[in-house]
Amino acid sequence: MKPAAFRYHRARDADGAVRLLAELGEEAKALAGGQSLVAMMAYRLARPRHLVDIGGLRELDRLRTDADGALRVGALTTHHTVERAPDSLLGPGFAVVRETMRWIGHLPIRTRGTAGGSLAHADATAEWCLLAVALDAELHVLGPHGTRRIAAADFFLGPYTTALEPDELLVEIVFPHPAPYAAVTEFAERRGDFALASAAVVLDRDGGTVRGGRVALGGVGPVPLRAAAAERVLADGGTFAECARAAADALPEEGRGAAYRRQLIRTLVRRACEEADAR
Ligand SMILES: Cc1cc2nc3c(=O)[nH]c(=O)nc-3n(C[C@H](O)[C@H](O)[C@H](O)COP(=O)(O)OP(=O)(O)OC[C@H]3O[C@@H](n4cnc5c(N)ncnc54)[C@H](O)[C@@H]3O)c2cc1C
């Protein structure tokens, strides 16, 4: 199939892109790496009348760690840029972000697809979305009336649905706290496919002792979810096996594939805990 007819607009800068999106209204879409949007247009699952190409906005293609330890990722940073970022940019505190990139599709997709595009697209099993929830990211958004910050926990509203307004642009993703003891793991049917389920674990360690941690799951709900029961087990000094069981037991027992998904989550959470602890 071919996409429905559309008009192409190239933005000169982020403010210009927002102006164009505001002028063109709900029929317009930003085009970043095109790795999700163009496929959806080809299948006519999306039929934007206008595309605002933000792909050339170098100002949004940046990656840096601040003096306060926060990692800032410009929305147009590709998955591959992060994947090959040197230690001077992504030290031990954010190695998990770099290592997670390998799970995303195949190399050609990673060289074009962007962090911002992935978060704005909001597939429930996308790795950037899982990382954002697990690492408490803050999403910086530019609109006609200036910028606003949205916590990852409030950003994802449902499958392919976010808190972004049609005339807003995601400009930066900020991971506020280094996470040296963190790991993401997942299971997909074939290498490069979207995950069936995924788990992210961020351990809070004091020397060799685990004091608690955050556990986030992908592929088990409409958006990536924190696993509160599993986190309580970590805070109470439980084992990784108990933490994994609590994450799985909190999932629905009924429904197609429910037992299989629970088993997957149990395995993935335990593996992520062990990998995070071994860092
Ligand atoms: C075969 C294949 C396999 C894939 N496998 C995976 C996978 O395993 N895991 C995974 O996470 N992804 C996967 N992807 C998707 C890939 O990661 C995309 O790069 C990503 O989902 C979208 O990024 P993009 O830059 O291409 O965005 P685009 O396709 O250009 O845009 C996607 C959506 O986001 C909006 N958008 C883009 N940028 C912004 C912005 N800055 N502000 C506001 N809105 C914006 C667009 O309007 C559009 O609605 C796969 C894709 C393919 C084709």
Side-chain angles (χ1 to χ4, degrees):
M1 257 203 209
K2 287 184 178 164
F6 61 88
R7 298 230 10 221
Y8 174 88
H9 311 258
R10 180 175 294 167
R12 290 181 198 285
D13 53 33
D15 288 326
V18 167
R19 263 198 310 278
L20 272 170
L21 289 170
E23 269 169 40
L24 298 169
E26 296 201 1
E27 303 272 9
K29 282 264 176 207
L31 174 69
Q35 296 303 294
S36 296
L37 182 55
V38 172
M40 289 183 73
M41 289 172 65
Y43 284 110
R44 302 214 174 184
L45 295 170
R47 292 166 173 249
R49 300 265 302 272
H50 301 273
L51 284 188
V52 175
D53 188 352
I54 58 171
L57 305 187
R58 301 279 51 100
E59 62 194 289
L60 302 186
D61 179 5
R62 55 179 187 237
L63 184 64
R64 71 164 202 268
T65 308
D66 273 355
D68 64 2
L71 172 66
R72 308 179 85 91
V73 183
L76 282 177
T77 310
T78 65
H79 315 318
H80 188 55
T81 298
V82 177
E83 180 176 31
R84 61 177 186 177
D87 276 352
S88 53
L89 274 175
L90 288 180
F94 292 109
V96 64
V97 178
R98 175 173 48 217
E99 287 168 12
T100 300
M101 297 298 109
R102 74 185 192 280
W103 296 107
I104 303 179
H106 302 280
L107 182 63
I109 290 152
R110 297 200 293 273
T111 58
R112 298 201 61 87
T114 65
S118 189
L119 289 155
H121 186 59
D123 187 297
T125 60
E127 286 77 5
W128 276 107
C129 302
L130 182 70
L131 279 173
V133 168
L135 301 185
D136 271 341
E138 192 177 72
L139 307 173
H140 293 196
V141 169
L142 179 67
H145 309 295
T147 51
R148 65 184 180 119
R149 297 164 179 212
I150 309 174
D154 302 324
F155 185 75
F156 303 107
L157 303 182
Y160 310 109
T161 311
T162 70
L164 281 173
E165 297 293 338
D167 56 2
E168 286 183 322
L169 209 58
L170 177 57
V171 289
E172 192 170 54
I173 302 103
V174 179
F175 294 98
H177 309 296
Y181 302 106
V184 168
T185 187
E186 66 179 52
F187 178 76
E189 281 181 325
R190 292 173 307 186
R191 182 98 188 113
D193 280 2
F194 275 94
L196 287 183
S198 53
V201 169
V202 182
L203 294 179
D204 174 11
R205 267 186 24 173
D206 183 2
T209 310
V210 175
R211 299 276 179 221
R214 294 197 295 280
V215 179
L217 307 177
V220 299
V223 300
L225 300 169
R226 291 277 291 275
E231 293 181 357
R232 274 196 300 278
V233 171
L234 288 178
D236 292 344
T239 65
F240 293 152
E242 288 163 344
C243 167
R245 192 177 321 122
D249 286 352
L251 299 179
E253 284 180 51
E254 305 289 325
R256 194 162 159 261
Y260 177 59
R261 192 165 287 109
R262 282 159 66 101
Q263 184 58 42
L264 262 185
I265 286 298
R266 191 165 165 175
T267 304
L268 292 172
V269 170
R270 182 169 181 166
R271 193 176 293 164
C273 284
E274 288 168 356
E275 287 180 14
D277 195 44
R279 284 190 181 279

